[in-house]
Amino acid sequence: MGLLLAAVTLVLVCLASIAIGAKALPLGDVWHGLFHASGTHGDVLVRDVRIPRTVLGLIVGTALGLAGAVMQALTRNPLAEPGLLGVNAGASAAVVSAITFFGVTSLTGYVWFAFLGAAIVSAVVYLLGGSRSATPVRLALAGTAASAALFGYVNAVQLLDAAALDRLRFWTVGSLASANMETVGKVWPFIAVGVVLSLLIARPLNALEMGDDTARALGAHLVRTRVLAMLAVTLLCGAATAACGPIVFIGLMIPHLVRAITGPDMRWILPYAAVLSPALLLGADVVGRVIARPSELQVGIVTALLGGPVFIHLVRRKRMAQL
């Protein structure tokens, strides 16, 4: 019943994302744009701007929510989020390199660079974390070190190349504003594979959260589970970051909200996260369009403003629990 209500919420938020924007449109024009292609300004705005934006937000939100839930289970750290393994940093470094050294100028052109950077950094972090003997602490430390180094590289290149800085302004804060169906077509296969992998490893992730010894006793294959989990995070977060830039806190907030509903069972956490995360992302995007009319506030800024207080609350609650 709860999952059905979550799905209904997602449908309503998707409809709001199509109907509400920085430019106000009567509901009649929105309805006409959904089912007709007469070439009017309203039809073009709905079909070529808002629908692709909503679809991209839907798949990216799903990816970020699942990646966050898998990351928290993999590292046994309730404060973990997808950027912990350096995925965001790897994608950002690859994009700035593509712009500066290879002259790539379009979003669809550097999607592949961003995904490749995310994949390479995830593999490096896994090796630095101990490969087959990797532990949650080692993975977290390796990811933090890689992120610091790569974001330093990104900042240095941006300072030396004004063109790169100008092109990356919106991408680096996280935005759905440049969404189009071509970008959706490039990233959805990777996200789809990541979703399937995440759902398939739900049961061994449950065992992994109990500790390595308990997981072995329950018959879980630790190395295989960690490799598949990192592959899933790379596919999900790498593709999402490539398409929209690094959008923070979605992967942190939603798994915590879901655990309050479902308990610790990953077989329920993952489906709920896959539904509620895009609802939060699209809802934040709608808020960003409305509060700054006729301009808009990028969704990455809105989620950061929402997520900051939540993160502080979680840290304080964890410290109080340890006292």
Side-chain angles (χ1 to χ4, degrees):
M1 185 63 181
L3 194 56
L4 179 60
L5 290 175
V8 171
T9 301
L10 177 58
V11 171
L12 293 176
V13 173
C14 287
L15 293 175
S17 178
I18 295 173
I20 302 172
K23 178 178 175 57
L25 278 181
L27 288 180
D29 291 356
V30 174
W31 182 264
H32 188 274
L34 284 172
F35 300 103
H36 301 85
S38 62
T40 65
H41 176 70
D43 290 354
V44 172
L45 184 61
V46 170
R47 298 174 70 89
D48 295 343
V49 178
R50 292 187 184 176
I51 290 178
R53 186 171 184 157
T54 301
V55 173
L56 186 61
L58 184 64
I59 64 174
V60 165
T62 298
L64 293 175
L66 286 176
V70 172
M71 274 294 304
Q72 291 176 15
L74 177 66
T75 62
R76 296 199 291 274
N77 182 354
L79 301 180
E81 56 94 23
L84 188 66
L85 288 185
V87 177
N88 290 347
S92 298
V95 169
V96 77
S97 298
I99 291 174
T100 303
F101 303 117
F102 299 101
V104 178
T105 58
S106 67
L107 175 64
T108 53
Y110 60 66
V111 157
W112 300 105
F113 284 91
F115 183 77
L116 180 62
I120 290 174
V121 170
S122 293
V124 170
V125 166
Y126 181 68
L127 292 174
L128 292 176
S131 187
R132 296 179 67 88
S133 61
T135 65
V137 174
R138 286 182 179 179
L139 289 175
L141 290 174
T144 301
S147 294
L150 289 170
F151 277 127
Y153 165 78
V154 168
N155 291 331
V157 173
Q158 287 181 319
L159 290 174
L160 295 173
D161 187 348
L165 177 60
D166 185 61
R167 294 186 188 115
L168 282 170
R169 280 183 305 165
F170 293 107
W171 188 86
T172 52
V173 298
S175 175
L176 296 173
S178 300
N180 56 63
M181 294 310 293
E182 184 178 359
T183 301
V184 171
K186 287 182 180 296
V187 300
W188 81 261
F190 299 108
I191 292 177
V193 174
V195 169
V196 172
L197 276 178
S198 299
L199 296 176
L200 287 177
I201 61 173
R203 188 182 295 274
L205 282 176
N206 277 338
L208 201 63
E209 283 195 293
M210 299 179 188
D212 290 0
D213 293 337
T214 303
R216 289 192 188 95
L218 292 174
H221 194 296
L222 299 186
V223 174
R224 182 174 61 197
T225 301
R226 288 194 174 113
V227 169
L228 290 177
M230 289 196 64
L231 178 59
V233 170
T234 300
L235 289 170
L236 293 168
C237 198
T241 303
C244 303
I247 298 176
V248 297
F249 287 121
I250 296 290
L252 173 67
M253 290 187 287
I254 290 299
H256 280 279
L257 172 64
V258 169
R259 282 190 181 90
I261 301 171
T262 67
D265 192 344
M266 292 297 293
R267 292 173 297 178
W268 284 105
I269 290 174
L270 293 175
Y272 268 90
V275 175
L276 291 177
S277 295
L280 175 60
L281 180 62
L282 289 172
D285 189 44
V286 171
V287 170
R289 293 184 235 171
V290 171
I291 63 175
R293 282 177 172 171
S295 184
E296 65 178 73
L297 200 61
Q298 304 304 317
V299 67
I301 298 174
V302 178
T303 57
L305 292 174
L306 292 173
V310 173
F311 184 75
I312 293 172
H313 169 70
L314 292 174
V315 171
R316 287 178 59 86
R317 190 175 68 177
K318 186 178 181 183
R319 288 184 61 189
M320 290 299 294
Q322 292 173 344
L323 293 179

